[in-house]
Amino acid sequence: MRRSTGRILSSSMFYLLAAAFCSAGAKAQTLVHFDLPAQPLARSLTAIGSATNTDVGFSANQVSGFVAPPLKADLTVDGALQRVLAGTGLRLKHLDDHTIVIAAAESSRSGSAEAKPLPLRVSALAEAVAPQDSAPVASKDSSSAQERDLDEIVVTGSHIRGLANKTSPVLVIDQAQIQQSGYSSTQDLFRSLPQNFASGDASEDGAYGGNVLSSQNVDYASGINLRGLGVTSTLVLLNGHRLAPSAFGTFVDVSQIPLSAIDRVEILTDGSSAIYGSDAVGGVVNIILKKDYQGADTSVRYGATTVGGRDEDLISQTVGSNWSRGNIVATMQFQRESALPAADRGFTSDLPTPNDLFPGTRSYGGTVDGRQAISDSLEFYGDALLSKREFNRGMSTNYPGTGIYTANFDGDAETADITPGLRYKFTPQWSMDLSGLYGYQKSTNVSAQGFSAADIQNTADDNRFTEKSLDLIINGRLGVTPAGDIGTALGASYRAEDLNTTSVETPGSSFSISEERHVTAEFAELHVPIVGESNPIPLVQALELSAALRRDNYSDFGSSTNPHVGLRWAPLPGVSLRASYGKSFRAPNAVEEYEEAPGTQQAYIYQVANPTGPGVVPALILSGSRPLTAERARTVNFGVEYNPRNIEGLNVSLDFYDILYQDRIITPPIPFNVLQQAQTYGALISRVASDAAAQAIVDAVEAAGGVFNDYYGNGVAGVRYLYDDRQQNAAVVRQSGFDFTSKYVKELGTYTFTSQINVSFIDKIENQYSQNAAYNNQVNTFGNPVKWRARYTSTLGNKAWSLSGALNVVGSYINNTLSSITPSVASWTTLDLNATLNVDAYFQSPGWKGVSLSLSVLNALNREPPYVDASPVLVQVNYDPANANPLGRFVALTLRKKW
């Protein structure tokens, strides 16, 4: 632990010293070489922002119809913007060192010469409608001038359009980071995020970590688990709206979203049920599709591990078109990944054959995003996601005294999410959005499993989840303070969820699940700027307040009302403090509610450490579910952001969070030494007086329609302990920790150097399984989040080439699955490398235009996962799937052509 902690801290210190050294003598603004053609103004503004690492905010309506002149010169960001804005009646306005907004020269405010800016920060989502290519530069009539004052920007974590709410922390993975990462799939991108925990119930290899919920992930989906609070406690959005979940309706499968279709990802690391409703306890992940694109982009990739295992093929195609009143972007992607056999890895080679750590998959995905102005006041917009993933996998388990149980799985998962919407503008300051969602998730899984060919049992599973919703949101401005507009959003929503599952065993029985519910919600939000650029006072450069309230009404369990308040205070230029307080909730999902049925209860025998002596003893385990209620949480966040004036291009952020999670739905762990930890698990442990008493418990389970699984073939003989492993509402879960992020951008002549660090520290995740039980701190133990995780990236490049490197650090922890000892699991550091060559910088013929070649090497040093001593829980698996990746060194070559 000390070694990994020191490595992170020393890397951070080196990073900050390098930033300070490189910044010595930096000018206020660096000259950048521009070579832009005559093109729509929106494209020139975007290109200038990208080239200068500046957030340039503008609305689509504001710049619609303008064409920027050619720009070929060495200019500062201000000089470049002034050139392309000449004659448009627009001007630039600095919000801070890294953010510029485009404002109208005339003001919509009575008697004020101050233009109304259109604020945009790095986490804002600009839903731009690109202008027509052939439109001339011209002044516009008064109605059009009013129209461009209505901003089209929506921020993740808020329904209020056109206002940047900075009271909550938001992490951003932008397009440059995605391309430089070397990853080809969305799940791999999120697996590298320090705030995300690769929990066993929502990852491809989770079944090898002993996670009891991994059996629900029948289609090997990949979810996001912020803070390690549970994959069901992170809300995943696409363009700000929900998606139909997979795995019996428990979480969104991000592997079905093509990575090539993603423009950026915004991650709100704060509880947000007051904005989005259920599930937003650990945070919100908003995946934003590419929107403003003209032309075509083709990519072909091949990659493979250097030592045994899997390989992959990928082909993607993006096409986009802009016209005077709308645009459309479509992306299609095919990806094939072969299985990763356990026999190809030394730390799993003792497993019987067949065993695939990762399944073999073939994925087909497509997205469409578009918008069309119907009139000056009415716009149609929408997006769609269509995806299919086929999989096959072999798994085997050795049961001593019984034999090897072999299973082969073949299936597919399909998703369709279609979200149309209409936006109507009542006035330049007020608008209404009406949007709908039809989401459909289907998975089929056919398996053949048994101890021998003579007793093979065939099982066919068919799971379907349908989600339909309708949302109405009214946006507007209630008034004006000296610091800016008072924004508000009011809305209501309706959502219907329907789960239908059928499983047929041959020979054997069949069962089905049919669950449905309806959810209505009403919500309101307010943002008040109190002090800003126009009215600063000593020690108050900025002061803003946000507040939100939402009530959700569920047809199956009741209602929940959740508030959220946030405050941001900037005492000095470049220094801002933020704080937020909120309440969140999560309703039991359909499969959790189904587990309460008597027929789903199970009992089985499991060998655990003897609590009174050496060796092991058999314990009778109950699984299924107790009666459930909704989870409820209180979240608090304090943060500081620093943009030093004397170090241009440096941004540093530190956030502390504290979560009190009550009635969290969990399935208790079964550590090998569970009977030796009565102070923690005492309420779940009961003594069994005799074999007859144990048999009576089994008889009761079977009489209620449940099942007894006798894996060892000895029945209940010698069973003297009962462990209640049923799904239940834990009394309390307490978690706290810190997030540290920093980004530094430096122009070095014709080169650009970018360096970023993201560190997650979890101080505690304390579970109390019953009211009088001791708290059990799960952080830094096998199969749970570690205290320290970090990712450090650096990129150096110019127009012709770029080189990127990333260090991924997982801190050390302990293996608590053994009976009498808790050996340390070593820290794990891997290095990713990526090099990109823009071929057209060296070959000027038209055929080479837009061609680039990238070489990616993931885990370049081929570091194996830290060794974990095997125990009955790990079943001959000597690594921790929750905190390490078994893939090894992976090399990929990508050829890309922009048309």
Side-chain angles (χ1 to χ4, degrees):
M1 178 64 201
R2 291 179 179 175
R3 289 193 302 270
S4 63
T5 302
R7 186 178 295 129
I8 295 171
L9 293 177
S10 62
S11 297
S12 303
M13 183 62 69
F14 174 80
Y15 165 74
L16 293 174
L17 289 174
F21 175 79
C22 292
S23 67
K27 298 179 181 179
Q29 288 192 354
T30 305
L31 289 174
V32 176
H33 179 72
F34 293 95
D35 188 1
L36 304 178
Q39 60 183 347
L41 178 58
R43 291 194 212 161
S44 289
L45 294 175
T46 301
I48 294 170
S50 177
T52 60
N53 293 289
T54 303
D55 294 320
V56 179
F58 58 92
S59 76
N61 292 328
Q62 185 186 35
V63 301
S64 178
F66 289 135
V67 169
L71 186 64
K72 188 171 185 179
D74 294 325
L75 298 167
T76 64
V77 59
D78 283 8
L81 289 174
Q82 289 166 359
R83 290 272 189 98
V84 299
L85 293 175
T88 64
L90 304 174
R91 67 182 184 87
L92 64 95
K93 182 178 178 64
H94 283 270
L95 293 186
D96 55 40
D97 286 347
H98 314 286
T99 308
I100 295 175
V101 294
I102 306 304
E106 68 274 15
S107 173
S108 61
R109 297 178 188 169
S110 177
S112 173
E114 182 71 23
K116 181 163 88 172
L118 304 176
L120 175 68
R121 60 173 174 149
V122 70
S123 62
L125 163 59
E127 296 184 336
V129 180
Q132 186 177 15
D133 288 1
S134 60
V137 174
S139 62
K140 300 188 177 183
D141 59 29
S142 58
S143 63
S144 297
Q146 288 180 336
E147 182 182 48
R148 49 173 197 267
D149 281 337
L150 180 57
D151 196 2
E152 300 295 338
I153 297 169
V154 173
V155 177
T156 298
S158 175
H159 289 305
I160 301 176
R161 307 183 67 81
L163 292 175
N165 184 350
K166 301 180 182 180
T167 61
S168 292
V170 176
L171 303 175
V172 179
I173 304 175
D174 60 25
Q175 181 64 209
Q177 291 172 270
I178 293 173
Q179 293 181 2
Q180 293 160 4
S181 70
Y183 299 127
S184 62
S185 65
T186 305
Q187 66 267 31
D188 286 341
L189 179 70
F190 283 112
R191 193 158 185 163
S192 70
L193 178 69
Q195 286 74 19
N196 180 40
F197 172 59
S199 54
D201 55 340
S203 61
E204 290 182 310
D205 60 336
Y208 292 96
N211 189 297
V212 295
L213 295 178
S214 62
S215 61
Q216 295 180 2
N217 191 7
V218 294
D219 49 353
Y220 311 120
S222 298
I224 302 176
N225 183 355
L226 293 179
R227 311 292 194 203
L229 286 173
V231 69
T232 56
S233 298
T234 297
L235 179 62
V236 177
L237 307 174
L238 183 70
N239 283 350
H241 62 75
R242 288 178 177 260
L243 295 168
S246 64
F248 297 100
T250 55
F251 61 87
V252 171
D253 181 9
V254 296
S255 72
Q256 297 206 19
I257 304 174
L259 185 63
S260 57
I262 299 175
D263 178 68
R264 67 184 180 280
V265 179
E266 298 175 358
I267 303 158
L268 177 64
T269 55
D270 193 9
S272 302
S273 287
I275 307 295
Y276 298 110
S278 178
D279 307 335
V281 179
V284 178
V285 174
N286 189 11
I287 299 172
I288 300 166
L289 299 178
K290 294 177 179 177
K291 294 182 178 297
D292 183 15
Y293 190 85
Q294 179 70 35
D297 189 335
T298 305
S299 291
V300 179
R301 170 182 166 119
Y302 176 77
T305 56
T306 58
V307 181
R310 70 167 25 183
D311 67 340
E312 72 164 9
D313 306 310
L314 184 145
I315 301 174
S316 70
Q317 179 68 59
T318 297
V319 293
S321 180
N322 303 320
W323 53 92
S324 61
R325 300 176 71 87
N327 76 321
I328 189 169
V329 181
T331 297
M332 296 154 285
Q333 178 175 296
F334 166 78
Q335 185 173 23
R336 179 202 60 83
E337 294 178 298
S338 64
L340 177 63
D344 287 350
R345 296 294 177 263
F347 44 86
T348 55
S349 59
D350 289 338
L351 285 168
T353 303
N355 253 305
D356 295 326
L357 299 179
F358 291 150
T361 63
R362 296 173 67 92
S363 302
Y364 312 82
T367 63
V368 178
D369 184 281
R371 52 198 37 78
Q372 173 65 50
I374 300 172
S375 68
D376 290 343
S377 301
L378 185 63
E379 180 187 70
F380 170 82
Y381 61 90
D383 60 69
L385 166 66
L386 302 175
S387 181
K388 180 178 181 179
R389 178 169 51 84
E390 302 169 347
F391 57 83
N392 60 82
R393 185 176 210 166
M395 299 184 73
S396 302
T397 305
N398 186 8
Y399 291 98
T402 303
I404 296 177
Y405 190 86
T406 300
N408 289 286
F409 302 92
D410 288 280
D412 60 69
E414 301 177 10
T415 187
D417 290 280
I418 303 171
T419 309
L422 287 172
R423 180 174 302 122
Y424 181 74
K425 302 173 184 177
F426 302 106
T427 70
Q429 278 73 40
W430 287 90
S431 66
M432 177 182 70
D433 280 75
L434 179 65
S435 62
L437 165 68
Y438 173 79
Y440 178 71
Q441 179 77 31
K442 174 188 175 183
S443 68
T444 59
N445 192 337
V446 178
S447 65
Q449 45 192 308
F451 284 101
S452 66
D455 69 345
I456 288 292
Q457 184 178 64
N458 296 297
T459 303
D461 296 324
D462 187 287
N463 309 301
R464 304 177 185 221
F465 189 95
T466 304
E467 183 167 325
K468 303 173 185 177
S469 67
L470 191 65
D471 292 88
L472 177 67
I473 302 176
I474 297 176
N475 259 277
R477 304 293 182 263
L478 292 177
V480 177
T481 73
D485 293 321
I486 300 173
T488 189
L490 305 170
S493 71
Y494 170 81
R495 186 169 80 251
E497 299 175 349
D498 188 5
L499 171 67
N500 289 281
T501 293
T502 301
S503 181
V504 178
E505 297 177 349
T506 306
S509 59
S510 63
F511 75 90
S512 62
I513 301 175
S514 182
E515 297 282 343
E516 64 177 31
R517 68 180 173 198
H518 307 274
V519 186
T520 60
E522 310 84 38
F523 50 89
E525 190 178 347
L526 183 68
H527 179 270
V528 182
I530 301 170
V531 178
E533 186 182 66
S534 60
N535 64 331
I537 58 178
L539 295 181
V540 185
Q541 299 295 308
L543 185 64
E544 60 182 285
L545 174 70
S546 66
L549 183 68
R550 180 180 177 115
R551 179 179 177 84
D552 290 83
N553 310 283
Y554 280 73
S555 61
D556 52 354
F557 87 91
S559 62
S560 178
T561 302
N562 297 278
H564 187 278
V565 293
L567 181 69
R568 175 179 174 266
W569 166 46
L572 300 170
V575 179
S576 63
L577 306 174
R578 56 174 172 253
S580 64
Y581 170 89
K583 291 187 175 182
S584 298
F585 85 105
R586 187 183 77 83
N589 57 48
V591 71
E592 288 170 336
E593 292 186 324
Y594 174 78
E595 290 291 327
E596 299 179 56
T600 64
Q601 310 309 299
Q602 297 185 35
Y604 62 94
I605 305 299
Y606 184 65
Q607 299 281 359
V608 295
N610 189 341
T612 60
V616 297
V617 297
L620 183 60
I621 312 296
L622 293 180
S623 68
S625 181
R626 293 180 179 181
L628 300 176
T629 186
E631 301 175 341
R632 304 182 189 278
R634 182 270 298 148
T635 59
V636 175
N637 190 92
F638 297 98
V640 57
E641 189 168 348
Y642 180 46
N643 298 282
R645 297 292 181 176
N646 60 335
I647 306 179
E648 182 184 359
L650 178 63
N651 174 273
V652 180
S653 178
L654 178 67
D655 283 274
F656 166 79
Y657 65 91
D658 183 85
I659 302 171
L660 178 63
Y661 210 163
Q662 296 177 301
D663 295 325
R664 182 186 172 193
I665 299 172
I666 64 167
T667 298
I670 315 177
F672 181 58
N673 59 351
V674 60
L675 299 182
Q676 299 172 350
Q677 301 184 54
Q679 73 279 6
T680 300
Y681 303 102
L684 306 175
I685 302 171
S686 302
R687 291 298 300 266
V688 179
S690 62
D691 290 358
Q695 188 61 49
I697 296 172
V698 171
D699 292 344
V701 170
E702 292 180 329
V707 177
F708 172 61
N709 292 309
D710 184 9
Y711 295 124
Y712 295 92
N714 299 319
V716 296
V719 170
R720 294 299 178 266
Y721 297 95
L722 175 70
Y723 184 73
D724 189 354
D725 189 47
R726 290 178 294 176
Q727 177 183 253
Q728 58 193 268
N729 290 99
V732 175
V733 177
R734 301 186 303 194
Q735 181 177 11
S736 61
F738 294 88
D739 289 326
F740 172 80
T741 60
S742 187
K743 180 176 182 180
Y744 176 66
V745 180
K746 173 66 178 176
E747 299 297 330
L748 302 172
T750 61
Y751 302 97
T752 300
F753 172 74
T754 303
S755 187
Q756 299 183 76
I757 188 168
N758 182 356
V759 180
S760 171
F761 172 77
I762 301 177
D763 179 52
K764 64 183 180 182
I765 305 178
E766 296 181 331
N767 285 276
Q768 186 185 45
Y769 299 115
S770 62
Q771 189 170 9
N772 298 319
Y775 280 96
N776 175 37
N777 191 359
Q778 292 186 327
V779 74
N780 239 36
T781 60
F782 171 83
N784 292 298
V786 299
K787 278 186 175 288
W788 290 97
R789 281 196 68 193
R791 179 174 171 87
Y792 171 78
T793 61
S794 289
T795 301
L796 179 67
N798 58 15
K799 292 176 59 178
W801 55 266
S802 68
L803 296 174
S804 302
L807 281 175
N808 305 282
V809 181
V810 178
S812 63
Y813 55 101
I814 62 172
N815 176 11
N816 63 335
T817 63
L818 304 177
S819 59
S820 58
I821 58 173
T822 53
S824 175
V825 179
S827 61
W828 192 48
T829 301
T830 59
L831 172 66
D832 299 336
L833 300 174
N834 186 77
T836 298
L837 179 69
N838 296 319
V839 180
D840 60 358
Y842 300 95
F843 300 95
Q844 303 301 319
S845 62
W848 292 108
K849 185 176 181 181
V851 175
S852 64
L853 193 65
S854 297
L855 177 66
S856 304
V857 185
L858 306 179
N859 193 358
L861 303 180
N862 201 25
R863 292 287 306 277
E864 287 192 351
Y867 178 83
V868 176
D869 194 9
S871 77
V873 174
L874 304 181
V875 196
Q876 300 168 302
V877 175
N878 294 119
Y879 85 105
D880 181 0
N883 291 298
N885 189 325
L887 189 62
R889 184 190 295 118
F890 189 89
V891 180
L893 187 66
T894 303
L895 177 64
R896 185 180 183 188
K897 166 70 173 176
K898 293 183 179 180
W899 306 86

